[in-house]
Amino acid sequence: ITFYSHMPGGDLDEAGFLRRVVEEADCGLLLDVNNVWVNAENHGFDARAFVDRLPLERVRQIHVAGHTRIDRVIIDTHIGPVIDEVWALYRYAIARIGRPVPTLIEWDQEIPPLGVILDEVDRARAESAAALAEVAA
């Protein structure tokens, strides 16, 4: 989940909390790569290190999206195309997971023509294939 402030008194960071919930509930994980990137940028942590701490064997779906920068804060608006930095994190996550994962392009506002969305779908397929080819090599 995208967050914009830290809750006082918490004893787990987000990655630790997600790991604990998923393992205790024995459930799958929807990994929102855009949210990881937005949170890392807003709170100054390493997005790849965060991905590395997740129970990646439980990832069942990945989301990618656009977002909006307002001054020094990035808001998860699901507007616009996925930026290269989020695609790079997506590719990293797929490589670490080591298998294809169903991926959803989130674009909820200011929706462009279908061709633009299909270009994003093609990019997701290409990034996933390239990540898995690198792992296989």
Side-chain angles (χ1 to χ4, degrees):
I1 298 173
T2 304
F3 66 96
Y4 301 98
S5 65
H6 294 278
M7 295 301 293
D11 61 349
L12 286 174
D13 64 7
E14 186 183 13
F17 175 76
L18 285 172
R19 176 174 284 283
R20 181 178 275 174
V21 167
V22 168
E23 289 175 351
E24 299 248 348
D26 192 25
C27 65
L29 176 65
L30 184 159
L31 175 56
D32 193 316
V33 172
N34 183 66
N35 288 0
V36 172
W37 188 86
V38 166
N39 288 341
E41 290 295 305
N42 284 338
H43 300 289
F45 62 83
D46 182 325
R48 288 181 176 206
F50 180 93
V51 168
D52 290 341
R53 293 184 55 219
L54 296 175
L56 298 175
E57 69 281 359
R58 293 184 179 262
V59 172
R60 299 296 178 259
Q61 187 178 69
I62 293 180
H63 287 187
V64 292
H67 49 266
T68 304
R69 184 179 294 273
I70 301 174
D71 297 322
R72 295 181 302 159
V73 177
I74 302 168
I75 308 295
D76 180 33
T77 57
H78 300 173
I79 295 175
V82 179
I83 65 169
D84 289 340
E85 293 86 349
V86 171
W87 282 123
L89 185 59
Y90 172 75
R91 188 170 174 159
Y92 179 80
I94 291 289
R96 295 283 291 128
I97 294 165
R99 60 179 164 74
V101 178
T103 300
L104 176 72
I105 310 291
E106 296 180 285
W107 200 323
D108 301 340
Q109 302 176 58
E110 300 176 18
I111 299 171
L114 181 59
V116 174
I117 299 290
L118 293 176
D119 289 344
E120 293 287 273
V121 171
D122 289 342
R123 175 100 187 244
R125 288 180 177 141
E127 294 289 351
S128 179
L132 295 172
E134 289 171 10
V135 170

